[in-house]
Amino acid sequence: MTTDRDALAALVTNLKTHAPLDRDDCEAITALPATRRTMEPLSYLVREGEPPPTHCSVLLGGFAFRQKLSGEGTRQILSVHLPGEALDFQLLFLDCADHNVQALTRVELANVPRAAIRQLMEERPGVARAVINKMLVEASISREWLLNVGRRDARTRLAHFLCEFALRVDLQGVKGNGGYELPMTQEQIGDALGLTSVHVNRTLRVLEGEGLLRRSGRKVVFPQWQELRRVADFSALYLHLANPPLALQPVY
Amino acid sequence: MTTDRDALAALVTNLKTHAPLDRDDCEAITALPATRRTMEPLSYLVREGEPPPTHCSVLLGGFAFRQKLSGEGTRQILSVHLPGEALDFQLLFLDCADHNVQALTRVELANVPRAAIRQLMEERPGVARAVINKMLVEASISREWLLNVGRRDARTRLAHFLCEFALRVDLQGVKGNGGYELPMTQEQIGDALGLTSVHVNRTLRVLEGEGLLRRSGRKVVFPQWQELRRVADFSALYLHLANPPLALQPVY
DNA sequence: CGAAAACTTGACCCAACTCAACGAACGTGG
DNA sequence: CCACGTTCGTTGAGTTGGGTCAAGTTTTCG
């Protein structure tokens, strides 16, 4: 299981972003039983209305997202997840999934038994604390998204989304130098922002025209990061980062 | 402190809505040290950017809400809270408040030291479980709000909001018979739904015109509850209610 | 009883949506 | 390695849901 120990190291790193973990806590987490799994884009990892899976998924590679559908079939994307993140904390203690979780790209997952995580939380307050913090930070992010979707116009909204993603990608060290690859179609971005894909397209071009953004394919670069942040009304407060990051001023 | 023991009984009842609590857990909660406080409408209980208060507030009477402001000064209401609910769980383990909490009406509060709650959670897994469940259910509600604001039109959105509120009021037993009193101005409803007060007004009248709603002052009655639910695209799944409520079919 | 806050209503406007067509990129199988 | 279907992105033209502004009217409350 050596490989899997390494696997969960990404989770430890991620948890440390929001809470301290001592040596033993880290050890205990990496020692959790885990098996690997690969899944294709758009595979469902959790389905609304069903009991949550008995095994929690930790993203080792690729991206995933949460989603709900309205009665009319329109979709709202609720969050996007990066490598290192656990996908099931929001359902860890609930009996019924209230939303869907899907792979965005092809994903590499580590599967950890739900019971093992819950037990570890009882045994180790530090682990409990870290998991709870992660739950709370995710809740904080969805509050910010609610503000974003409810009260900001398309340009600000999109810019805000790009800032958040840039920062999170940066923190996970996923980025290639000089920018990052958006793993989403414009339709998916629209579903995350409460916009149509057509309007996302136009708004991207507006930002591009203003010089706040350069694109080639899905690769985006931000030539004026600080100005973009200003336009986006972006403050990283809601991400509750433990160590105030230099990353707040990435030089793209 | 007998009065205060009684006070926290409301919290126990509320926590039981989403998780089981054994006798000792309940005892332990009601035995928490608590002091009472009354606050005027619009008083701030938590301020964004500041460390969370050392004492958690439990709503004994009246209503409260969470809120964030955009850089342009527009406001998004993130949630509304009823008597019996604890207001600080979302910040219980975080170092910095990411949103504001305000009294909606005049409120009666019980103040419980943060540390005492955290300690009780370590000592009693049942209590920890209940508190975590409440955190997760609140997160689930904000996901549903995100769907509501992002993807539903004004009529559906407003109807959904009214359904949720009706149901929660019903569960807390706050309702007077035959309907309930909305403790919010139309402007506040707008800020919760990402609409303007003018459009809330018009949309209320549309629902009224359709016979889905009757109003006098802020008192609302639903003559066709089932039909309203259908129009609202409302399913109570996301509220994660422990005991599938008759309340789902209140006869107003 | 009077002032302030909340609610209504009308006229007009615009940000974002819809529909539709086309071009570019991409994966797949022959 | 190319042909080709499919998904994704781009663009234009026209529409509309909800916003803005502004002027009453009603309710609330000191």
Side-chain angles (χ1 to χ4, degrees), chain B residues 76-108:
Chain B
Q76 178 69 41
I77 290 181
L78 306 162
S79 63
V80 178
H81 294 278
L82 277 53
E85 297 191 308
L87 301 178
D88 300 70
F89 287 168
Q90 289 301 321
L91 302 164
L92 193 53
F93 292 90
L94 299 177
D95 299 323
C96 181
D98 55 71
H99 62 274
N100 303 293
V101 182
Q102 267 182 293
L104 186 51
T105 60
R106 173 183 300 236
V107 293
E108 178 88 3

PDB file of all heavy atoms in Angstrom, chain B residues 76-108:
ATOM      1  N   GLN B  76     -26.305  40.674  -0.517  1.00  0.00           N
ATOM      2  CA  GLN B  76     -26.896  39.361  -0.724  1.00  0.00           C
ATOM      3  C   GLN B  76     -27.177  38.743   0.629  1.00  0.00           C
ATOM      4  O   GLN B  76     -26.272  38.587   1.448  1.00  0.00           O
ATOM      5  CB  GLN B  76     -25.975  38.442  -1.527  1.00  0.00           C
ATOM      6  CG  GLN B  76     -26.526  37.029  -1.725  1.00  0.00           C
ATOM      7  CD  GLN B  76     -27.740  36.975  -2.638  1.00  0.00           C
ATOM      8  OE1 GLN B  76     -27.784  37.654  -3.664  1.00  0.00           O
ATOM      9  NE2 GLN B  76     -28.738  36.184  -2.278  1.00  0.00           N
ATOM     10  N   ILE B  77     -28.443  38.429   0.861  1.00  0.00           N
ATOM     11  CA  ILE B  77     -28.800  37.712   2.082  1.00  0.00           C
ATOM     12  C   ILE B  77     -28.560  36.232   1.830  1.00  0.00           C
ATOM     13  O   ILE B  77     -28.971  35.687   0.798  1.00  0.00           O
ATOM     14  CB  ILE B  77     -30.250  38.012   2.489  1.00  0.00           C
ATOM     15  CG1 ILE B  77     -30.317  39.468   2.976  1.00  0.00           C
ATOM     16  CG2 ILE B  77     -30.741  37.046   3.558  1.00  0.00           C
ATOM     17  CD1 ILE B  77     -31.666  39.934   3.451  1.00  0.00           C
ATOM     18  N   LEU B  78     -27.852  35.584   2.743  1.00  0.00           N
ATOM     19  CA  LEU B  78     -27.368  34.227   2.523  1.00  0.00           C
ATOM     20  C   LEU B  78     -28.235  33.179   3.191  1.00  0.00           C
ATOM     21  O   LEU B  78     -28.305  32.040   2.750  1.00  0.00           O
ATOM     22  CB  LEU B  78     -25.935  34.114   3.059  1.00  0.00           C
ATOM     23  CG  LEU B  78     -24.953  35.152   2.498  1.00  0.00           C
ATOM     24  CD1 LEU B  78     -23.729  35.255   3.378  1.00  0.00           C
ATOM     25  CD2 LEU B  78     -24.584  34.812   1.067  1.00  0.00           C
ATOM     26  N   SER B  79     -28.874  33.577   4.276  1.00  0.00           N
ATOM     27  CA  SER B  79     -29.765  32.651   4.970  1.00  0.00           C
ATOM     28  C   SER B  79     -30.578  33.421   5.985  1.00  0.00           C
ATOM     29  O   SER B  79     -30.222  34.532   6.373  1.00  0.00           O
ATOM     30  CB  SER B  79     -28.975  31.541   5.666  1.00  0.00           C
ATOM     31  OG  SER B  79     -28.142  32.097   6.672  1.00  0.00           O
ATOM     32  N   VAL B  80     -31.674  32.827   6.386  1.00  0.00           N
ATOM     33  CA  VAL B  80     -32.536  33.415   7.410  1.00  0.00           C
ATOM     34  C   VAL B  80     -32.647  32.393   8.530  1.00  0.00           C
ATOM     35  O   VAL B  80     -32.700  31.193   8.266  1.00  0.00           O
ATOM     36  CB  VAL B  80     -33.937  33.717   6.833  1.00  0.00           C
ATOM     37  CG1 VAL B  80     -34.848  34.289   7.904  1.00  0.00           C
ATOM     38  CG2 VAL B  80     -33.825  34.666   5.660  1.00  0.00           C
ATOM     39  N   HIS B  81     -32.640  32.878   9.765  1.00  0.00           N
ATOM     40  CA  HIS B  81     -32.636  31.940  10.886  1.00  0.00           C
ATOM     41  C   HIS B  81     -33.801  32.136  11.839  1.00  0.00           C
ATOM     42  O   HIS B  81     -34.229  33.256  12.092  1.00  0.00           O
ATOM     43  CB  HIS B  81     -31.303  32.017  11.607  1.00  0.00           C
ATOM     44  CG  HIS B  81     -30.177  31.540  10.745  1.00  0.00           C
ATOM     45  ND1 HIS B  81     -29.875  30.215  10.587  1.00  0.00           N
ATOM     46  CD2 HIS B  81     -29.340  32.208   9.920  1.00  0.00           C
ATOM     47  CE1 HIS B  81     -28.877  30.083   9.724  1.00  0.00           C
ATOM     48  NE2 HIS B  81     -28.538  31.289   9.307  1.00  0.00           N
ATOM     49  N   LEU B  82     -34.280  31.002  12.347  1.00  0.00           N
ATOM     50  CA  LEU B  82     -35.487  30.969  13.166  1.00  0.00           C
ATOM     51  C   LEU B  82     -35.136  30.693  14.624  1.00  0.00           C
ATOM     52  O   LEU B  82     -34.039  30.205  14.913  1.00  0.00           O
ATOM     53  CB  LEU B  82     -36.402  29.839  12.659  1.00  0.00           C
ATOM     54  CG  LEU B  82     -37.309  30.124  11.469  1.00  0.00           C
ATOM     55  CD1 LEU B  82     -36.559  30.668  10.279  1.00  0.00           C
ATOM     56  CD2 LEU B  82     -38.045  28.848  11.073  1.00  0.00           C
ATOM     57  N   PRO B  83     -36.063  30.940  15.504  1.00  0.00           N
ATOM     58  CA  PRO B  83     -35.823  30.636  16.911  1.00  0.00           C
ATOM     59  C   PRO B  83     -35.422  29.171  17.108  1.00  0.00           C
ATOM     60  O   PRO B  83     -35.964  28.283  16.445  1.00  0.00           O
ATOM     61  CB  PRO B  83     -37.193  30.899  17.562  1.00  0.00           C
ATOM     62  CG  PRO B  83     -37.822  31.927  16.687  1.00  0.00           C
ATOM     63  CD  PRO B  83     -37.356  31.607  15.301  1.00  0.00           C
ATOM     64  N   GLY B  84     -34.473  28.951  17.978  1.00  0.00           N
ATOM     65  CA  GLY B  84     -33.978  27.609  18.238  1.00  0.00           C
ATOM     66  C   GLY B  84     -32.645  27.371  17.553  1.00  0.00           C
ATOM     67  O   GLY B  84     -31.892  26.472  17.925  1.00  0.00           O
ATOM     68  N   GLU B  85     -32.355  28.184  16.529  1.00  0.00           N
ATOM     69  CA  GLU B  85     -31.121  27.947  15.780  1.00  0.00           C
ATOM     70  C   GLU B  85     -29.914  28.661  16.382  1.00  0.00           C
ATOM     71  O   GLU B  85     -30.021  29.775  16.881  1.00  0.00           O
ATOM     72  CB  GLU B  85     -31.304  28.382  14.318  1.00  0.00           C
ATOM     73  CG  GLU B  85     -32.367  27.560  13.605  1.00  0.00           C
ATOM     74  CD  GLU B  85     -32.384  27.794  12.103  1.00  0.00           C
ATOM     75  OE1 GLU B  85     -32.445  28.949  11.663  1.00  0.00           O
ATOM     76  OE2 GLU B  85     -32.341  26.796  11.377  1.00  0.00           O
ATOM     77  N   ALA B  86     -28.785  27.988  16.311  1.00  0.00           N
ATOM     78  CA  ALA B  86     -27.511  28.593  16.726  1.00  0.00           C
ATOM     79  C   ALA B  86     -26.971  29.359  15.520  1.00  0.00           C
ATOM     80  O   ALA B  86     -27.057  28.883  14.394  1.00  0.00           O
ATOM     81  CB  ALA B  86     -26.535  27.515  17.153  1.00  0.00           C
ATOM     82  N   LEU B  87     -26.419  30.515  15.751  1.00  0.00           N
ATOM     83  CA  LEU B  87     -26.033  31.376  14.636  1.00  0.00           C
ATOM     84  C   LEU B  87     -24.556  31.306  14.282  1.00  0.00           C
ATOM     85  O   LEU B  87     -24.134  31.841  13.274  1.00  0.00           O
ATOM     86  CB  LEU B  87     -26.395  32.826  14.964  1.00  0.00           C
ATOM     87  CG  LEU B  87     -27.883  33.061  15.236  1.00  0.00           C
ATOM     88  CD1 LEU B  87     -28.122  34.514  15.604  1.00  0.00           C
ATOM     89  CD2 LEU B  87     -28.705  32.674  14.014  1.00  0.00           C
ATOM     90  N   ASP B  88     -23.752  30.664  15.104  1.00  0.00           N
ATOM     91  CA  ASP B  88     -22.313  30.760  14.914  1.00  0.00           C
ATOM     92  C   ASP B  88     -21.627  29.469  14.521  1.00  0.00           C
ATOM     93  O   ASP B  88     -20.410  29.413  14.446  1.00  0.00           O
ATOM     94  CB  ASP B  88     -21.669  31.318  16.183  1.00  0.00           C
ATOM     95  CG  ASP B  88     -22.203  32.694  16.529  1.00  0.00           C
ATOM     96  OD1 ASP B  88     -23.369  32.806  16.936  1.00  0.00           O
ATOM     97  OD2 ASP B  88     -21.470  33.670  16.350  1.00  0.00           O
ATOM     98  N   PHE B  89     -22.403  28.426  14.280  1.00  0.00           N
ATOM     99  CA  PHE B  89     -21.771  27.160  13.917  1.00  0.00           C
ATOM    100  C   PHE B  89     -20.912  27.303  12.672  1.00  0.00           C
ATOM    101  O   PHE B  89     -19.867  26.666  12.548  1.00  0.00           O
ATOM    102  CB  PHE B  89     -22.828  26.077  13.705  1.00  0.00           C
ATOM    103  CG  PHE B  89     -23.448  25.583  14.971  1.00  0.00           C
ATOM    104  CD1 PHE B  89     -24.586  24.781  14.935  1.00  0.00           C
ATOM    105  CD2 PHE B  89     -22.899  25.904  16.209  1.00  0.00           C
ATOM    106  CE1 PHE B  89     -25.152  24.311  16.105  1.00  0.00           C
ATOM    107  CE2 PHE B  89     -23.479  25.436  17.392  1.00  0.00           C
ATOM    108  CZ  PHE B  89     -24.615  24.638  17.332  1.00  0.00           C
ATOM    109  N   GLN B  90     -21.326  28.139  11.733  1.00  0.00           N
ATOM    110  CA  GLN B  90     -20.570  28.291  10.496  1.00  0.00           C
ATOM    111  C   GLN B  90     -19.190  28.901  10.724  1.00  0.00           C
ATOM    112  O   GLN B  90     -18.332  28.882   9.851  1.00  0.00           O
ATOM    113  CB  GLN B  90     -21.331  29.157   9.486  1.00  0.00           C
ATOM    114  CG  GLN B  90     -22.552  28.493   8.877  1.00  0.00           C
ATOM    115  CD  GLN B  90     -22.232  27.214   8.134  1.00  0.00           C
ATOM    116  OE1 GLN B  90     -21.216  27.113   7.456  1.00  0.00           O
ATOM    117  NE2 GLN B  90     -23.084  26.212   8.285  1.00  0.00           N
ATOM    118  N   LEU B  91     -18.992  29.464  11.912  1.00  0.00           N
ATOM    119  CA  LEU B  91     -17.719  30.123  12.191  1.00  0.00           C
ATOM    120  C   LEU B  91     -17.021  29.508  13.387  1.00  0.00           C
ATOM    121  O   LEU B  91     -15.975  29.997  13.833  1.00  0.00           O
ATOM    122  CB  LEU B  91     -17.972  31.605  12.468  1.00  0.00           C
ATOM    123  CG  LEU B  91     -18.661  32.370  11.339  1.00  0.00           C
ATOM    124  CD1 LEU B  91     -19.194  33.683  11.840  1.00  0.00           C
ATOM    125  CD2 LEU B  91     -17.691  32.566  10.189  1.00  0.00           C
ATOM    126  N   LEU B  92     -17.596  28.411  13.882  1.00  0.00           N
ATOM    127  CA  LEU B  92     -17.167  27.854  15.169  1.00  0.00           C
ATOM    128  C   LEU B  92     -15.688  27.509  15.204  1.00  0.00           C
ATOM    129  O   LEU B  92     -15.043  27.576  16.240  1.00  0.00           O
ATOM    130  CB  LEU B  92     -18.014  26.603  15.453  1.00  0.00           C
ATOM    131  CG  LEU B  92     -17.984  25.999  16.845  1.00  0.00           C
ATOM    132  CD1 LEU B  92     -18.292  27.039  17.898  1.00  0.00           C
ATOM    133  CD2 LEU B  92     -18.973  24.845  16.920  1.00  0.00           C
ATOM    134  N   PHE B  93     -15.134  27.143  14.049  1.00  0.00           N
ATOM    135  CA  PHE B  93     -13.728  26.739  14.041  1.00  0.00           C
ATOM    136  C   PHE B  93     -12.866  27.633  13.149  1.00  0.00           C
ATOM    137  O   PHE B  93     -11.716  27.325  12.890  1.00  0.00           O
ATOM    138  CB  PHE B  93     -13.613  25.289  13.584  1.00  0.00           C
ATOM    139  CG  PHE B  93     -14.178  24.307  14.563  1.00  0.00           C
ATOM    140  CD1 PHE B  93     -15.503  23.926  14.492  1.00  0.00           C
ATOM    141  CD2 PHE B  93     -13.384  23.797  15.583  1.00  0.00           C
ATOM    142  CE1 PHE B  93     -16.035  23.028  15.410  1.00  0.00           C
ATOM    143  CE2 PHE B  93     -13.900  22.909  16.504  1.00  0.00           C
ATOM    144  CZ  PHE B  93     -15.238  22.517  16.423  1.00  0.00           C
ATOM    145  N   LEU B  94     -13.438  28.717  12.695  1.00  0.00           N
ATOM    146  CA  LEU B  94     -12.683  29.595  11.802  1.00  0.00           C
ATOM    147  C   LEU B  94     -12.164  30.817  12.564  1.00  0.00           C
ATOM    148  O   LEU B  94     -12.707  31.188  13.608  1.00  0.00           O
ATOM    149  CB  LEU B  94     -13.555  30.023  10.622  1.00  0.00           C
ATOM    150  CG  LEU B  94     -14.053  28.866   9.743  1.00  0.00           C
ATOM    151  CD1 LEU B  94     -14.972  29.374   8.645  1.00  0.00           C
ATOM    152  CD2 LEU B  94     -12.902  28.062   9.151  1.00  0.00           C
ATOM    153  N   ASP B  95     -11.119  31.425  12.031  1.00  0.00           N
ATOM    154  CA  ASP B  95     -10.471  32.526  12.750  1.00  0.00           C
ATOM    155  C   ASP B  95     -10.980  33.897  12.336  1.00  0.00           C
ATOM    156  O   ASP B  95     -10.675  34.903  12.964  1.00  0.00           O
ATOM    157  CB  ASP B  95      -8.956  32.486  12.517  1.00  0.00           C
ATOM    158  CG  ASP B  95      -8.363  31.185  13.025  1.00  0.00           C
ATOM    159  OD1 ASP B  95      -8.828  30.703  14.075  1.00  0.00           O
ATOM    160  OD2 ASP B  95      -7.472  30.652  12.355  1.00  0.00           O
ATOM    161  N   CYS B  96     -11.741  33.921  11.261  1.00  0.00           N
ATOM    162  CA  CYS B  96     -12.155  35.212  10.719  1.00  0.00           C
ATOM    163  C   CYS B  96     -13.535  35.056  10.084  1.00  0.00           C
ATOM    164  O   CYS B  96     -13.760  34.126   9.313  1.00  0.00           O
ATOM    165  CB  CYS B  96     -11.133  35.646   9.665  1.00  0.00           C
ATOM    166  SG  CYS B  96     -11.495  37.230   8.928  1.00  0.00           S
ATOM    167  N   ALA B  97     -14.447  35.936  10.436  1.00  0.00           N
ATOM    168  CA  ALA B  97     -15.803  35.849   9.884  1.00  0.00           C
ATOM    169  C   ALA B  97     -15.783  36.229   8.411  1.00  0.00           C
ATOM    170  O   ALA B  97     -15.178  37.228   8.036  1.00  0.00           O
ATOM    171  CB  ALA B  97     -16.752  36.757  10.644  1.00  0.00           C
ATOM    172  N   ASP B  98     -16.439  35.429   7.586  1.00  0.00           N
ATOM    173  CA  ASP B  98     -16.456  35.710   6.156  1.00  0.00           C
ATOM    174  C   ASP B  98     -17.777  36.349   5.726  1.00  0.00           C
ATOM    175  O   ASP B  98     -17.999  36.590   4.550  1.00  0.00           O
ATOM    176  CB  ASP B  98     -16.208  34.424   5.365  1.00  0.00           C
ATOM    177  CG  ASP B  98     -17.192  33.338   5.742  1.00  0.00           C
ATOM    178  OD1 ASP B  98     -18.363  33.456   5.387  1.00  0.00           O
ATOM    179  OD2 ASP B  98     -16.776  32.370   6.415  1.00  0.00           O
ATOM    180  N   HIS B  99     -18.654  36.614   6.688  1.00  0.00           N
ATOM    181  CA  HIS B  99     -19.930  37.255   6.356  1.00  0.00           C
ATOM    182  C   HIS B  99     -20.477  37.947   7.602  1.00  0.00           C
ATOM    183  O   HIS B  99     -19.938  37.776   8.690  1.00  0.00           O
ATOM    184  CB  HIS B  99     -20.924  36.213   5.847  1.00  0.00           C
ATOM    185  CG  HIS B  99     -21.269  35.158   6.843  1.00  0.00           C
ATOM    186  ND1 HIS B  99     -20.521  34.008   7.019  1.00  0.00           N
ATOM    187  CD2 HIS B  99     -22.255  35.076   7.759  1.00  0.00           C
ATOM    188  CE1 HIS B  99     -21.052  33.270   7.971  1.00  0.00           C
ATOM    189  NE2 HIS B  99     -22.105  33.896   8.451  1.00  0.00           N
ATOM    190  N   ASN B 100     -21.513  38.710   7.432  1.00  0.00           N
ATOM    191  CA  ASN B 100     -22.146  39.404   8.550  1.00  0.00           C
ATOM    192  C   ASN B 100     -23.375  38.642   9.012  1.00  0.00           C
ATOM    193  O   ASN B 100     -24.046  37.995   8.221  1.00  0.00           O
ATOM    194  CB  ASN B 100     -22.584  40.804   8.118  1.00  0.00           C
ATOM    195  CG  ASN B 100     -21.424  41.622   7.594  1.00  0.00           C
ATOM    196  OD1 ASN B 100     -20.521  41.978   8.349  1.00  0.00           O
ATOM    197  ND2 ASN B 100     -21.422  41.903   6.300  1.00  0.00           N
ATOM    198  N   VAL B 101     -23.648  38.732  10.297  1.00  0.00           N
ATOM    199  CA  VAL B 101     -24.901  38.201  10.826  1.00  0.00           C
ATOM    200  C   VAL B 101     -25.626  39.346  11.521  1.00  0.00           C
ATOM    201  O   VAL B 101     -25.024  40.069  12.320  1.00  0.00           O
ATOM    202  CB  VAL B 101     -24.678  37.049  11.821  1.00  0.00           C
ATOM    203  CG1 VAL B 101     -26.009  36.493  12.318  1.00  0.00           C
ATOM    204  CG2 VAL B 101     -23.845  35.942  11.189  1.00  0.00           C
ATOM    205  N   GLN B 102     -26.900  39.524  11.176  1.00  0.00           N
ATOM    206  CA  GLN B 102     -27.678  40.622  11.727  1.00  0.00           C
ATOM    207  C   GLN B 102     -29.016  40.145  12.255  1.00  0.00           C
ATOM    208  O   GLN B 102     -29.588  39.168  11.748  1.00  0.00           O
ATOM    209  CB  GLN B 102     -27.969  41.639  10.603  1.00  0.00           C
ATOM    210  CG  GLN B 102     -26.978  42.759  10.472  1.00  0.00           C
ATOM    211  CD  GLN B 102     -27.383  43.720   9.368  1.00  0.00           C
ATOM    212  OE1 GLN B 102     -27.370  43.335   8.194  1.00  0.00           O
ATOM    213  NE2 GLN B 102     -27.739  44.933   9.723  1.00  0.00           N
ATOM    214  N   ALA B 103     -29.503  40.841  13.267  1.00  0.00           N
ATOM    215  CA  ALA B 103     -30.868  40.598  13.723  1.00  0.00           C
ATOM    216  C   ALA B 103     -31.827  41.115  12.661  1.00  0.00           C
ATOM    217  O   ALA B 103     -31.613  42.183  12.093  1.00  0.00           O
ATOM    218  CB  ALA B 103     -31.112  41.300  15.046  1.00  0.00           C
ATOM    219  N   LEU B 104     -32.868  40.343  12.388  1.00  0.00           N
ATOM    220  CA  LEU B 104     -33.860  40.743  11.386  1.00  0.00           C
ATOM    221  C   LEU B 104     -34.982  41.491  12.116  1.00  0.00           C
ATOM    222  O   LEU B 104     -35.389  42.578  11.715  1.00  0.00           O
ATOM    223  CB  LEU B 104     -34.387  39.478  10.704  1.00  0.00           C
ATOM    224  CG  LEU B 104     -35.338  39.592   9.530  1.00  0.00           C
ATOM    225  CD1 LEU B 104     -34.829  40.527   8.461  1.00  0.00           C
ATOM    226  CD2 LEU B 104     -35.556  38.198   8.938  1.00  0.00           C
ATOM    227  N   THR B 105     -35.444  40.906  13.177  1.00  0.00           N
ATOM    228  CA  THR B 105     -36.416  41.542  14.064  1.00  0.00           C
ATOM    229  C   THR B 105     -35.701  41.825  15.384  1.00  0.00           C
ATOM    230  O   THR B 105     -34.498  41.584  15.491  1.00  0.00           O
ATOM    231  CB  THR B 105     -37.561  40.568  14.371  1.00  0.00           C
ATOM    232  OG1 THR B 105     -36.988  39.410  15.004  1.00  0.00           O
ATOM    233  CG2 THR B 105     -38.251  40.138  13.095  1.00  0.00           C
ATOM    234  N   ARG B 106     -36.419  42.280  16.364  1.00  0.00           N
ATOM    235  CA  ARG B 106     -35.855  42.291  17.699  1.00  0.00           C
ATOM    236  C   ARG B 106     -35.624  40.831  18.094  1.00  0.00           C
ATOM    237  O   ARG B 106     -36.498  39.984  17.839  1.00  0.00           O
ATOM    238  CB  ARG B 106     -36.817  42.947  18.677  1.00  0.00           C
ATOM    239  CG  ARG B 106     -36.374  42.852  20.137  1.00  0.00           C
ATOM    240  CD  ARG B 106     -37.422  43.455  21.022  1.00  0.00           C
ATOM    241  NE  ARG B 106     -37.612  44.865  20.658  1.00  0.00           N
ATOM    242  CZ  ARG B 106     -37.488  45.873  21.534  1.00  0.00           C
ATOM    243  NH1 ARG B 106     -37.173  45.631  22.790  1.00  0.00           N
ATOM    244  NH2 ARG B 106     -37.694  47.107  21.135  1.00  0.00           N
ATOM    245  N   VAL B 107     -34.459  40.523  18.622  1.00  0.00           N
ATOM    246  CA  VAL B 107     -34.167  39.119  18.951  1.00  0.00           C
ATOM    247  C   VAL B 107     -33.809  38.929  20.418  1.00  0.00           C
ATOM    248  O   VAL B 107     -33.251  39.820  21.058  1.00  0.00           O
ATOM    249  CB  VAL B 107     -32.984  38.553  18.108  1.00  0.00           C
ATOM    250  CG1 VAL B 107     -33.363  38.463  16.643  1.00  0.00           C
ATOM    251  CG2 VAL B 107     -31.725  39.381  18.305  1.00  0.00           C
ATOM    252  N   GLU B 108     -34.166  37.758  20.888  1.00  0.00           N
ATOM    253  CA  GLU B 108     -33.763  37.305  22.213  1.00  0.00           C
ATOM    254  C   GLU B 108     -32.704  36.228  21.991  1.00  0.00           C
ATOM    255  O   GLU B 108     -32.936  35.262  21.257  1.00  0.00           O
ATOM    256  CB  GLU B 108     -34.984  36.716  22.925  1.00  0.00           C
ATOM    257  CG  GLU B 108     -34.735  36.142  24.298  1.00  0.00           C
ATOM    258  CD  GLU B 108     -34.872  37.214  25.377  1.00  0.00           C
ATOM    259  OE1 GLU B 108     -35.219  38.369  25.027  1.00  0.00           O
ATOM    260  OE2 GLU B 108     -34.633  36.895  26.542  1.00  0.00           O
TER     261      GLU B 108
END
